[in-house]
Structure formats: structure tokens, C-alpha cells
Amino acid sequence: MFSGVLPNALTIAGSDSGGGAGIQADLKTFASLGVYGTSVITALTAQNGLGVTGIHAPEPEFVVRQLKAVLDGFPIHAAKTGMLFSAEIIEALAAELGADFPLVVDPVCVSTSGHALIKEDAVAVMKEKLFPLAALVTPNKPETEVLTGIKLTDVKAVEEAGKRLLDMGAKAVLIKGGHFEERPILVTDWFFDGAGNMEPLRQPHVETPNSHGTGCTLSAAITAYLAKKQPLIVAVKKAQEFLNCALRNSYAPGKGIGPVHHLATIEQLKR
């Protein structure tokens, strides 16, 4: 019988009915890494590997009620945000989130299949209200370009964008490199610390069509390691390794784009 105490992590994100991204990916990642997962659902999506066919968001007041229930019932050691959908939901959440635990903000804008997952007017509110609360912001290339207005054509542009995101209030930034090149040998994520120092963090490229949930999984893994009291840069590097393993073992359980395999590390340990 398990007699230890797991750290608690929180995901504030949308639900993916296909199970590969969002709340479902986050909770699978937390469990795989030995962290107890709690959740606040900001939106319901009707989706599978073929795409998103609908989004339904609860009232902001109910999103906050979920958050208060979690914070009243559990000591949270780290949290992340994913799909937040509307300006009203972001404003309501930001008013309740403080500095009691590190917060990873994954500024989800578009699904893997290309469906918008946030209202247009919510982007500015996210930058104003949420980024100053973030221990880390984790945009991919398209999200970085939307957030900063900088076209990421070279390393110099990446450096400028990272510093601009820091100027918005984030304490650190990870610009994810999965969208930068076709068929690279290595994929580079760019980490910026609070002083604006840029460090390239590389992992082997994994050639797979099944990449649904990569961003959610990476930010959830970072959150899990932060909940386990790992320093931020260590949490990021360990999360990269976790995601790389999940990508190497990705598969399609149904039609369309399949998810990364969140339980791959556990299966490897069993073998």
C-alpha cells in the first residue's frame, strides 16, 4: 500500500473529449510523474484527432467557483494554465490567483488541427493580467508571434521576442521550437531567465504524425517538476526529456492525429 504523500498540482484549462490534450493530457502527465492532479475546467471542447467541432465555456463565476474549491481543499504546490478561451474568464481567474505557488502559463491560442481556442480580445487581457503572475510562459512560434508582433525569422528575432515577453511581466520564458523547421535533427527550445539571458535547450527531433497535446504535455510536466520542488531550469529540462519519450512512443488510438503517449515512461520502467 502506498503510504507516501504526493505533491499537488493544478491545471486550469479546457477539456479535450479526445483525451490527448488539455485537462486530460495534463492529468495523465501529472499522474505519470508522481504528482496528484487537480483541475479547473475553463471550456468543454468537442474534438478528436480530426479536429474541433465545438466549444462551450462555463460562466466565469463557475470557473472561479472551481478554483476556490480546489484552493480551499488542497495545498497546491504548482499550477498551470492552458486554454482559457475568453477575456472574462482570464480576468476572473487572475483576480483569484496569487503568488502562493509557481504558475506556468501556456498561452494556448490554436489547436493542432488549426482551430482557434481563444477569443481575439482575450489575448491582450492574458498579457496584461496573467503574465505578471507567471513563473514561466511557454508559447510556441505562432503564439510568440501573436503575443509580441515579432516575426521569428532568425535567432535574433527569437531573442527580441523573449525579452519582450519578459517585459510583459513573466519571470521567465520558454519559446518552444517545434514549429521552427521541417525535419530538423534537433529541436531547440529557447529559455530566457529573469535577467533576459537566453539559453538554447535541445532535444532530438522525433518524426511522428501523432503530436496532439505536445504543448499541454510539456507545460504540465514542467508544472509537475515544480510541484516536486525542482529548480525552474531543471524542471524545464526534465519536462523536455519526458515529452521526447512521449513523442517517441506516440500512436493513433483512433482517426486522425494521435496524441503523445503520456504513460510511456511508466511502461519503460515496467520493462
Side-chain angles (χ1 to χ4, degrees), residues 143-160:
E143 290 160 352
T144 301
E145 292 176 341
V146 168
L147 292 165
T148 66
I150 297 172
K151 195 73 174 175
L152 301 187
T153 55
D154 53 30
V155 174
K156 184 177 180 181
V158 172
E159 184 173 14
E160 182 183 351

Side-chain angles (χ1 to χ4, degrees), residues 137-257:
V137 176
T138 63
N140 60 26
K141 180 178 182 283
E143 290 160 352
T144 301
E145 292 176 341
V146 168
L147 292 165
T148 66
I150 297 172
K151 195 73 174 175
L152 301 187
T153 55
D154 53 30
V155 174
K156 184 177 180 181
V158 172
E159 184 173 14
E160 182 183 351
K163 291 180 177 179
R164 187 168 296 184
L165 289 167
L166 289 173
D167 288 341
M168 294 174 191
K171 296 176 181 65
V173 173
L174 183 72
I175 297 179
K176 297 174 290 190
H179 291 75
F180 275 80
E181 302 176 53
E182 292 185 4
R183 301 182 181 276
I185 297 173
L186 297 173
V187 174
T188 303
D189 296 335
W190 303 93
F191 178 78
F192 298 80
D193 64 18
N197 300 308
M198 181 175 72
E199 180 180 355
L201 305 177
R202 297 182 172 92
Q203 284 285 317
H205 171 70
V206 178
E207 186 64 39
T208 175
N210 301 310
S211 58
H212 186 50
T214 51
C216 303
T217 300
L218 180 65
S219 58
I222 294 170
T223 304
Y225 283 117
L226 290 175
K228 298 169 87 167
K229 307 300 183 185
Q230 295 291 321
L232 179 58
I233 187 62
V234 175
V236 170
K237 290 178 178 179
K238 285 180 175 289
Q240 282 184 313
E241 293 172 1
F242 176 85
L243 176 60
N244 197 264
C245 177
L247 278 165
R248 292 196 307 271
N249 292 278
S250 63
Y251 67 105
K255 299 177 181 178
I257 300 171

